[in-house]
Amino acid sequence: MATLKVPRVSFRSQLKKRCLLYPQRSFSALKSATRTATPPSTSKASTTSGQASATTSSNASRKSSIKNEKKAKKALSATDSTEAQLKQIESMMNMANTSNLFPTMDMWGTKLVTLDVEIPRDASLRMLFTNPGAFWHAKQHNFSNWLKNTFSMYTIAKARAFTGVNRDFRFSHLFLPRTWRQLGNVTSHSSASWLAPIRRIAMDNYLAIGRAIADKDEPTLKALTTADHATKVNKIVRTRKPGEVWQWKVLSDVSDKALFQDKSSTIVSIRSGEVYVAKEPPKRGNRLVIHALVKFETTQELKVFTKQGQPVDAKSTEPHNVVEYLVLEKVGWYDNTWQVRDQIYK
């Protein structure tokens, strides 16, 4: 079979022929025409690339629009938070300005947290030889608690906020040894201690709360408890079986003579802070909130009977020793007693 040879014609020769046949066209025009004229195979590729570029550009525009929407939302949220803060400041200023018009309204009665009262740790000399690391850690913990107790006692004395103690305190009293015996010894059981009236009130309220739980006396519980402890004791009363009758009694001697000699109630930690921050002092009392952690060691018995007088559990009626750590609170500008607000476990 014969093969035909096709002579190769270069692009340069074709260009010369076109220039000779069409002298009216310039070389630059032909050059631009040859650039714009693309073969059929490349036109398809260019169409595909155009579609891809259009898709890419649409995706990019979507992303940019999403970013702009997020920025707008952040700007709106920041504006809303700023407006909320300004409204809160404005409301506080209005409260401060109207405190003279409404003297019975508590402008500063916000929800409080329990201050950092602490249970002292055991640091006996025997521990120094058996576990020296724990011994020194306990010593450090107890020393920190003592420093905080002393500073809080000084704050209370300066504000003349000790319950049942009418004593003028001056800065010059800090140079007297008897002052430091009072400020640095919160665990004292002496009847001459500045905290002695608080210990008496704490024991009386402790007994009243126990009797109120047994008798389902909710008004008494409302007057003597607050915050988390109020929720706890009310839950005990309301979830009790309706057919049960409780009889609760403290067998320990809690008279004044015994209270100031034994360890039935001991204040182990005390904290105070100025919470009433208005320019003018409160109409009554002082600016302080005081939290005292009291350790109660008593012998108790609880008897549970049915309506017919039959004991529910005979073993539970036996007397047993009870140790509890309760946090008592006194709000200085309220005309109320000390209230139990929390229980701490060792």
Side-chain angles (χ1 to χ4, degrees):
M1 186 175 178
T3 58
L4 294 175
K5 290 185 178 180
V6 180
R8 292 182 180 180
V9 182
S10 64
F11 178 74
R12 195 171 182 180
S13 61
Q14 289 180 2
L15 189 60
K16 282 182 179 180
K17 279 184 179 182
R18 288 185 182 182
C19 289
L20 292 172
L21 290 173
Y22 306 101
Q24 67 273 15
R25 290 188 183 180
S26 63
F27 180 77
S28 61
L30 289 172
K31 191 177 180 181
S32 62
T34 54
R35 281 183 179 177
T36 55
T38 55
S41 61
T42 58
S43 63
K44 189 175 181 181
S46 64
T47 305
T48 307
S49 63
Q51 291 177 354
S53 62
T55 306
T56 308
S57 62
S58 64
N59 291 335
S61 62
R62 286 178 186 174
K63 288 182 180 179
S64 63
S65 62
I66 292 171
K67 285 183 180 180
N68 292 332
E69 288 179 1
K70 287 183 178 180
K71 287 181 180 179
K73 287 181 180 179
K74 286 182 180 179
L76 288 173
S77 62
T79 306
D80 293 341
S81 63
T82 305
E83 290 180 357
Q85 291 176 0
L86 291 174
K87 287 181 180 180
Q88 188 176 5
I89 293 171
E90 185 179 359
S91 64
M92 291 177 66
M93 294 297 295
N94 291 333
M95 287 168 60
N97 293 331
T98 56
S99 60
N100 295 327
L101 300 176
F102 303 98
T104 59
M105 185 181 294
D106 180 19
M107 301 293 180
W108 314 103
T110 56
K111 187 177 180 180
L112 301 174
V113 296
T114 303
L115 301 179
D116 60 334
V117 289
E118 299 171 322
I119 299 176
R121 298 182 182 177
D122 183 23
S124 60
L125 289 176
R126 184 179 179 182
M127 187 184 293
L128 177 61
F129 301 100
T130 57
N131 193 349
F135 173 81
W136 291 114
H137 187 71
K139 281 290 186 183
Q140 183 181 6
H141 173 86
N142 294 342
F143 180 70
S144 174
N145 185 36
W146 177 82
L147 286 177
K148 293 177 183 179
N149 289 341
T150 305
F151 181 76
S152 297
M153 290 285 287
Y154 167 72
T155 304
I156 299 169
K158 189 173 62 172
R160 300 179 64 181
F162 283 110
T163 303
V165 177
N166 188 12
R167 186 183 297 272
D168 188 16
F169 184 82
R170 300 176 183 177
F171 182 77
S172 59
H173 294 167
L174 291 175
F175 299 97
L176 301 176
R178 65 174 181 269
T179 301
W180 286 102
R181 284 195 294 269
Q182 291 282 357
L183 298 180
N185 191 11
V186 299
T187 60
S188 173
H189 295 96
S190 172
S191 59
S193 172
W194 292 347
L195 297 176
I198 300 176
R199 291 181 60 235
R200 179 70 267 174
I201 294 172
M203 178 56 74
D204 292 342
N205 291 355
Y206 179 74
L207 299 175
I209 290 171
R211 288 190 293 266
I213 293 174
D215 299 338
K216 292 186 176 181
D217 187 0
E218 293 190 11
T220 300
L221 294 176
K222 185 177 180 180
L224 299 180
T225 60
T226 184
D228 294 339
H229 201 70
T231 305
K232 177 182 176 181
V233 295
N234 285 324
K235 185 178 180 180
I236 294 173
V237 170
R238 291 168 185 173
T239 57
R240 208 169 84 188
K241 293 181 181 180
E244 291 183 349
V245 178
W246 288 12
Q247 290 183 1
W248 180 82
K249 187 188 297 182
V250 171
L251 303 179
S252 304
D253 187 3
V254 291
S255 62
D256 285 347
K257 183 178 180 181
L259 186 68
F260 299 122
Q261 289 180 356
D262 61 12
K263 299 179 180 180
S264 57
S265 70
T266 306
I267 298 175
V268 296
S269 186
I270 192 167
R271 301 289 185 268
S272 63
E274 285 194 6
V275 178
Y276 191 94
V277 293
K279 291 183 180 180
E280 297 294 329
K283 300 297 181 182
R284 64 170 67 88
N286 53 79
R287 299 174 180 267
L288 299 183
V289 169
I290 306 172
H291 287 176
L293 180 60
V294 184
K295 178 183 179 182
F296 295 94
E297 292 184 79
T298 56
T299 302
Q300 306 176 9
E301 68 173 6
L302 175 64
K303 297 180 180 180
V304 182
F305 300 94
T306 62
K307 286 184 177 180
Q308 291 75 24
Q310 299 295 327
V312 174
D313 188 0
K315 293 182 180 179
S316 63
T317 61
E318 297 178 359
H320 54 280
N321 297 325
V322 177
V323 178
E324 291 182 293
Y325 291 88
L326 300 180
V327 180
L328 277 78
E329 177 184 79
K330 182 70 176 74
V331 181
W333 59 95
Y334 285 177
D335 189 16
N336 58 1
T337 185
W338 286 77
Q339 296 176 306
V340 179
R341 66 164 290 121
D342 201 359
Q343 183 172 6
I344 297 179
Y345 300 92
K346 190 171 182 179

